[in-house]
Amino acid sequence: MDFRPVGIFDSGMGGLTAVRVLRRLLPGEDIAYLGDTARVPYGGRSVEELRRIAESDVRFLRGRGIKAMLVACGTVSSNCLDYVQQIAGVPAIGVVKPTALEAARATRNGRIGVLSTVATTRSGAFVRELAAIDPALCAVPSGSPKLVPLVEAGRADPADPEVAAAVEECLREVRDAGVDTLILGCTHYPLLSEAIRAYMGGDVALIDSGAAGARALAQLLDDGDLRSPRKSFGRTACYASGDAGEFARVAELFLKRDFSQTTFKTAVL
Ligand code: DGL
């Protein structure tokens, strides 16, 4: 049993898709969330840059006295999770493995689309993870630089022509490949689920990397006997390295019902 908060970080809004699921699974846990909005997007950066950035994100969360960490960023998880685990000082997990496991369980025809940032696609991490689970699985990757900036600007409406066009552009080949399961391999993308579902059709299973990461974090707390003894009223402290007011505005736009007991502050990294 452990009253300390869990730490979760992402480049911006995306990791809140993990926070909202963790809130429901473990309502008594305190959460320290960092959205590095001053440096978003991460998805076009080199491995070297990502390591440097992740180092300051980890340092910030360690300063909040956390007991465990979720890297709720597909880009950092797929490019430098091992480095984060070395420097975290507490048990740390990423989103790639739990998301790939959920996708492998969900598929019926063995064809799985992997939508992610460009840096995640370049890393090949999801494709490797799926092959390790079952070499017979066929992964169809697609990396896009266009979706994260739309989400950060609070734009996710399928009726928004720019949103619909960006979704179509990055998913055309994936849809044509006949996948029955689609990994949303960037944690921003579950916020675009409606637009993605509208394009892919209702039969394709969408696998939410934020939710999968949250479930894996809950399991980690159970396994390590790290759960808070409190059963409710956990607090979420959201820190943004950019404009905290703007972060709060967009966060509440997407996730309003899930954000009671939440404070928003500026993070100096
Ligand atoms: N949510 C991050 C991810 O999961 C977004 C990356 C970005 O900032 O481009 O990859």
Side-chain angles (χ1 to χ4, degrees):
M1 288 204 300
D2 195 324
F3 278 105
R4 290 175 296 168
V6 294
I8 300 180
F9 76 88
D10 179 46
S11 61
M13 295 291 140
L16 295 178
T17 57
V19 172
R20 71 177 166 186
V21 173
L22 195 69
R23 271 270 137 276
R24 285 180 209 148
L25 288 176
L26 303 177
E29 292 295 334
D30 285 347
I31 300 173
Y33 179 82
L34 171 63
D36 186 11
T37 50
R39 295 183 291 198
V40 69
Y42 285 2
R45 296 180 186 271
S46 68
V47 178
E48 209 30 65
E49 279 179 297
L50 289 167
R51 281 168 68 105
R52 202 160 14 85
I53 283 171
E55 193 172 325
S56 57
D57 294 344
V58 168
R59 193 183 319 120
F60 179 82
L61 285 179
R62 284 189 71 166
R64 313 275 80 69
I66 58 171
K67 61 185 170 188
M69 187 183 296
L70 171 65
V71 181
C73 173
T75 306
V76 172
S77 298
S78 57
N79 281 278
C80 53
L81 179 64
D82 48 353
Y83 181 59
V84 169
Q85 287 171 326
Q86 275 170 38
I87 62 175
V90 292
I93 55 169
V95 295
V96 173
K97 193 174 190 153
T99 308
L101 280 168
E102 291 195 5
R105 278 199 291 269
T107 186
R108 297 168 307 279
N109 72 2
R111 301 180 75 76
I112 300 175
V114 185
L115 181 61
S116 68
T117 65
V118 173
T120 296
T121 303
R122 180 193 63 208
S123 77
F126 277 104
V127 177
R128 272 197 308 279
E129 199 63 51
L130 289 168
I133 295 166
D134 179 354
L137 292 172
C138 170
V140 185
S142 172
S144 168
K146 293 198 176 160
L147 301 178
V148 168
L150 286 169
V151 172
E152 287 293 318
R155 294 175 65 183
D157 186 349
D160 179 331
E162 214 179 307
V163 170
V167 165
E168 177 175 349
E169 186 185 312
C170 61
L171 282 174
R172 197 176 302 119
E173 279 179 30
V174 174
R175 193 175 76 167
D176 290 351
V179 305
D180 72 352
T181 301
L182 176 64
I183 287 178
L184 305 180
C186 165
T187 50
H188 280 71
Y189 298 169
L191 299 170
L192 289 161
S193 286
E194 246 187 280
I196 291 171
R197 180 157 301 297
Y199 182 69
M200 294 300 286
D203 290 343
V204 172
L206 303 184
I207 309 297
D208 175 335
S209 52
R215 285 188 275 272
L217 181 62
Q219 188 64 52
L220 177 85
L221 296 183
D222 272 344
D223 294 346
D225 196 18
L226 289 169
R227 287 266 291 267
S228 168
R230 257 191 282 111
K231 295 284 172 268
S232 55
F233 300 113
R235 290 157 302 196
T236 305
C238 282
Y239 300 91
S241 56
D243 182 337
E246 177 60 10
F247 186 80
R249 187 190 71 77
V250 180
E252 280 164 3
L253 187 78
F254 282 128
L255 304 169
K256 42 175 122 44
R257 281 162 301 139
D258 299 294
F259 271 77
S260 55
Q261 313 273 347
T262 303
T263 54
F264 293 91
K265 294 180 199 150
T266 302
V268 181
L269 298 181

